[in-house]
């Protein structure tokens, strides 16, 4: 079964898309063609979107699902005239909140993802810069400023996890790849020992690691299953020996990995 879903906003569309994606994920037997349409901030743009929605309805033979966070009432009215089923996110949640709080919403465009909150925006950007500057063990003398240091074998997901935590949570995360030389010494690298309380390990199934490495260096010793199996076994043994918490990243998304790490480490997000 196929349905079309539109995420429509007069701002970035991030809120409509995030909530809509979460809801649609619960319907595993339906294939959704997902279309994000941000900055629908004029009636002319709204009419153009209505034409797209109506074409999708005709092609699918059923109503597209519309998740919207459009604030402007005139623009919303145009969209309601389409042949789609609308899920009005703001109306669904803001009206009950207004009643409970005894206050009216500002109904302002882009409040969630603007730079009006300069401190929060600065935290996010600073955290991203920190993750990039302290990626892959290139620099270790700023580890005293890190909230967290991810350790693990090469290509197990450390960098994307650090960048996600920086962008989403404002967490200053560094990462350090454990090399074959580190494993031969059977101990933590000297640069990590003073920061052991900040360390969290990532591991991965050897066959998955081999597949990832083969995309980068095909048919190399680095990508061979035997090498990947050796590195994973040695690193996991080191984690256990040193008492470093760790998770296997094989079957988890970056979002899930990040959330599990923060819970395990008891780290509060900087972006509230």
């Amino acid at each position: 079964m196929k349905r079309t879903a539109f995420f429509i906003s007069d701002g970035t569309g991030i809120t409509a898309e995030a909530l809509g994606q979460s809801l649609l994920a619960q319907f595993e037997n339906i294939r959704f063609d997902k279309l994000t349409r941000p900055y629908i901030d004029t009636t002319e743009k709204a009419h153009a979107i209505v034409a797209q929605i109506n074409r999708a309805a005709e092609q699918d033979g059923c109503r597209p699902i519309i998740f919207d966070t459009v604030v402007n009432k005139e623009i919303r009215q145009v969209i309601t005239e389409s042949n789609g089923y609308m899920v009005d996110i703001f109306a669904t949640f803001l009206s009950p909140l207004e009643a409970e709080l005894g206050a009216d919403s500002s109904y302002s465009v882009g409040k969630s993802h603007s730079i009006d909150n300069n401190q929060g925006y600065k935290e996010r950007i600073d955290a991203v810069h920190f993750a990039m500057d302290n990626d892959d063990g290139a620099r270790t003398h700023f580890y005293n400023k890190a909230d967290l240091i991810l350790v693990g074998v090469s290509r197990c997901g450390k960098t994307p996890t650090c960048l996600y935590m920086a962008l989403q949570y404002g967490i200053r995360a560094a990462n350090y790849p454990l090399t074959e030389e580190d494993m031969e010494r059977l101990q933590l690298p000297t640069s990590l020992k003073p920061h052991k309380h900040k360390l969290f390990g990532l591991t991965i199934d050897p066959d998955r690691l081999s597949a990832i490495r083969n995309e980068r260096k095909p048919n190399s010793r680095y990508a061979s299953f035997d090498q990947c199996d050796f590195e994973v076994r040695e690193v996991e043994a080191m984690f256990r020996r040193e008492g470093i918490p760790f998770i296997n990243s094989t079957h988890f998304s970056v979002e899930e990995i990040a959330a599990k790490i923060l819970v395990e480490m008891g780290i509060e997000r900087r972006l509230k």
Side-chain angles (χ1 to χ4, degrees):
M1 187 175 179
K2 172 184 170 294
R3 298 290 289 267
T4 300
F6 286 85
F7 308 112
I8 300 174
S9 175
D10 41 11
T12 63
I14 293 173
T15 301
E17 187 174 23
L19 184 54
Q21 293 269 29
S22 296
L23 294 173
L24 295 181
Q26 303 302 315
F27 299 90
E28 298 177 358
N29 297 323
I30 301 175
R31 180 171 67 85
F32 292 99
D33 285 343
K34 301 170 184 176
L35 304 171
T36 302
R37 297 294 183 263
Y39 296 111
I40 305 303
D41 50 10
T42 66
T43 55
E44 289 78 14
K45 292 180 182 179
H47 283 295
I49 286 297
V50 167
Q52 292 183 34
I53 294 168
N54 292 346
R55 281 197 300 272
E58 185 176 349
Q59 291 169 0
D60 296 349
C62 54
R63 293 189 295 176
I65 310 299
I66 302 169
F67 295 92
D68 88 276
T69 53
V70 175
V71 172
N72 184 284
K73 293 181 180 179
E74 187 178 358
I75 294 172
R76 287 205 74 259
Q77 182 57 43
V78 173
I79 298 173
T80 60
E81 296 169 2
S82 71
N83 296 327
Y85 174 76
M86 290 189 68
V87 180
D88 183 349
I89 294 173
F90 278 171
T92 301
F93 295 106
L94 283 181
S95 295
L97 273 174
E98 287 177 330
E100 175 63 25
L101 297 173
D104 293 332
S105 164
S106 64
Y107 285 89
S108 300
V109 177
K111 279 290 187 182
S112 307
H113 304 284
S114 71
I115 61 172
D116 289 344
N117 179 1
N118 289 326
Q119 185 56 39
Y121 186 76
K122 185 177 184 301
E123 289 278 10
R124 187 194 307 272
I125 298 304
D126 286 349
V128 170
H129 286 161
F130 185 89
M132 295 172 66
D133 289 343
N134 295 274
D135 181 49
D136 221 21
R139 302 164 72 183
T140 61
H141 52 282
F142 289 121
Y143 280 4
N144 61 314
K145 298 180 180 179
D147 298 313
L148 172 75
I149 304 167
L150 290 187
V151 291
V153 299
S154 171
R155 313 305 288 181
C156 68
K158 300 183 300 299
T159 296
T161 302
C162 285
L163 287 172
Y164 178 82
M165 288 194 289
L167 191 59
Q168 193 70 17
Y169 302 128
I171 298 297
R172 292 183 175 87
N175 78 77
Y176 187 99
L178 294 168
T179 65
E180 189 171 1
E181 184 179 345
D182 294 323
M183 295 165 214
E184 289 173 352
R185 294 173 182 163
L186 298 177
Q187 61 181 0
L188 277 180
T190 303
S191 58
L192 295 181
K193 289 181 179 179
H195 311 287
K196 187 175 176 180
H197 63 289
K198 297 182 180 181
L199 301 183
F200 193 96
L202 287 187
T203 185
I204 187 172
D205 290 352
D207 55 347
R208 175 60 180 153
L209 180 61
S210 177
I212 293 171
R213 287 183 174 183
N214 264 300
E215 292 178 2
R216 187 180 186 190
K217 294 184 178 180
N219 304 315
S220 63
R221 176 176 175 273
Y222 166 79
S224 70
F225 175 82
D226 287 345
Q227 178 65 22
C228 292
D229 184 55
F230 164 74
E231 290 185 25
V232 169
R233 281 190 288 104
E234 290 300 313
V235 164
E236 288 184 358
M238 181 187 291
F239 289 158
R240 294 188 181 97
R241 186 171 61 252
E242 298 287 346
I244 297 170
F246 69 95
I247 60 171
N248 187 312
S249 66
T250 307
H251 302 295
F252 296 119
S253 67
V254 170
E255 294 89 343
E256 291 172 311
I257 295 168
K260 287 175 180 291
I261 290 172
L262 296 186
V263 169
E264 182 84 14
M265 297 292 282
I267 298 173
E268 288 290 335
R269 60 188 294 169
R270 291 177 182 268
L271 304 176
K272 302 291 186 179

